[in-house]
Amino acid sequence: QLALRSNLIKCNHDRTLNLDVSGIDVYFYDFSRNHVGTYAIDNAAQGILASPELDKVKKFIIFVPGYKSKITKKTEEQVRNTFRNYPNSYLIILDHSQYTNDKQGYIKSYERSVQYVYYIGKALANMLSGLKKGGISAKNMHCIGHSLGSQMLGQTGEIFTNLTGEKISRITALDPAGPCFSNSLIQEQVRSGVADYVEVYHCNAGGLGTTSVLGDIDFFVNKKGAAQPNCGTPWIPGIFDSSKAAKCNHRMCIDMYTATVNHPEWFIAHKCATYKDYKKG
């Protein structure tokens, strides 16, 4: 529905509204000790730093999901399973569903969620800056976002640098949200420069995802980064898509990225000037 009706959505990126996002829940997973801590975002840095036997030199992987997400949903479960056995790391997942749910109907809810993007990104930047003050290096922070969560990370990265003078090590943006962002100012989007390394994956470009080239590296996966196999996308993506096909394409970025974490050996790359050259051998 969003992809089909994006021209009806009123987009508000106002940064002067001072919206309260203190209801965000932060889940901290220490899989090696079978420990999960849950904190309100304003106290999360303190809570995490007080975790028993916290090893500050481990990698901190922070996942920020998108619109209509919730800690109990399939995506969050998939992310937990992906990083459960990942060596020398902790996982943090944000649940911002109080502000990004679809309880007011699809379009109204998306408009509200977009308004909150800056403020949720800022709250996460404050939390990460609290972790840094507590002795966790920005070099050990890797933020991964999906859809609206990817766009939040554009704000997180910029504000974190303003607060600390340093950059988060890496931002992975999985199909950054298109509606309300594709045509907005670059400073409202995730982009190169907001972390030491920004990588962007496009799986439903022009639908629920953005078509913009944003990162230090942008991957357009399969058919122009717009359509994925087995999603039932019609010949002309974006025109006759069912909302089901768009959703399937959009989610595929999560499936693909988590597969690269679990099976790095599956994704062999060849450096080549053009795809035509590659096909010629």
Side-chain angles (χ1 to χ4, degrees):
Q1 286 156 300
L2 273 181
L4 297 178
R5 302 203 203 130
S6 50
N7 56 336
L8 303 176
I9 300 169
K10 292 182 186 71
C11 304
N12 184 350
H13 296 285
D14 192 341
R15 299 180 179 199
T16 61
L17 302 173
N18 227 354
L19 298 177
D20 173 47
V21 290
S22 57
I24 298 171
D25 287 321
V26 175
Y27 290 78
F28 173 73
Y29 299 91
D30 178 353
F31 294 116
S32 64
R33 301 186 60 257
N34 229 347
H35 167 74
V36 186
T38 313
Y39 313 98
I41 194 151
D42 294 346
N43 318 321
Q46 263 169 304
I48 291 167
L49 289 164
S51 298
E53 293 172 48
L54 186 76
D55 182 349
K56 291 180 184 175
V57 301
K58 280 189 176 180
K59 196 172 204 175
F60 286 72
I61 295 159
I62 301 101
F63 180 69
V64 185
Y67 175 53
K68 291 205 311 178
S69 59
K70 210 181 167 110
I71 197 67
T72 49
K73 287 198 174 172
K74 181 181 157 189
T75 294
E76 286 73 356
E77 180 62 13
Q78 190 172 334
V79 169
R80 279 193 294 275
N81 289 337
T82 298
F83 290 103
R84 193 176 297 279
N85 300 312
Y86 195 74
N88 303 321
S89 65
Y90 297 113
L91 175 66
I92 295 168
I93 299 182
L94 256 59
D95 184 339
H96 46 62
S97 55
Q98 195 174 318
Y99 310 102
T100 52
N101 58 63
D102 61 347
K103 286 180 183 157
Q104 290 168 285
Y106 223 73
I107 287 192
K108 272 229 165 344
S109 299
Y110 188 74
E111 289 174 348
R112 169 191 19 87
S113 303
V114 167
Q115 271 194 339
Y116 274 105
V117 164
Y118 169 74
Y119 301 96
I120 296 171
K122 183 181 177 182
L124 177 57
N126 287 331
M127 181 196 112
L128 294 178
S129 125
L131 290 179
K132 187 181 176 300
K133 282 192 190 107
I136 290 156
S137 162
K139 295 216 173 335
N140 291 337
M141 296 177 187
H142 177 191
C143 294
I144 303 167
H146 177 237
S147 192
L148 219 49
S150 297
Q151 301 292 14
M152 290 168 189
L153 289 176
Q155 307 303 334
T156 300
E158 183 179 18
I159 296 165
F160 179 85
T161 301
N162 293 344
L163 291 170
T164 65
E166 288 189 34
K167 285 186 182 183
I168 292 165
S169 152
R170 180 177 175 191
I171 287 177
T172 300
L174 304 175
D175 220 20
C180 282
F181 293 92
S182 282
N183 303 325
S184 73
L185 298 170
I186 191 71
Q187 52 268 38
E188 273 138 22
Q189 303 178 61
V190 65
R191 61 203 181 277
S192 171
V194 295
D196 276 336
Y197 175 63
V198 179
E199 55 182 354
V200 182
Y201 292 75
H202 300 268
C203 294
N204 189 219
L208 294 171
T210 185
T211 49
S212 310
V213 175
L214 296 167
D216 295 311
I217 190 161
D218 282 66
F219 298 98
F220 287 84
V221 179
N222 289 317
K223 205 172 177 183
K224 292 185 176 167
Q228 306 308 319
N230 308 327
C231 278
T233 309
W235 278 107
I236 311 172
I239 304 210
F240 304 109
D241 283 23
S242 69
S243 57
K244 206 170 157 196
K247 223 158 129 185
C248 169
N249 291 320
H250 195 42
R251 253 204 69 87
M252 196 65 78
C253 263
I254 296 172
D255 295 345
M256 239 168 264
Y257 181 73
T258 52
T260 70
V261 176
N262 288 325
H263 302 281
E265 73 284 1
W266 286 2
F267 295 86
I268 296 163
H270 300 278
K271 190 172 182 177
C272 210
T274 69
Y275 188 54
K276 218 173 180 173
D277 290 348
Y278 168 73
K279 275 164 84 171
K280 283 184 186 156

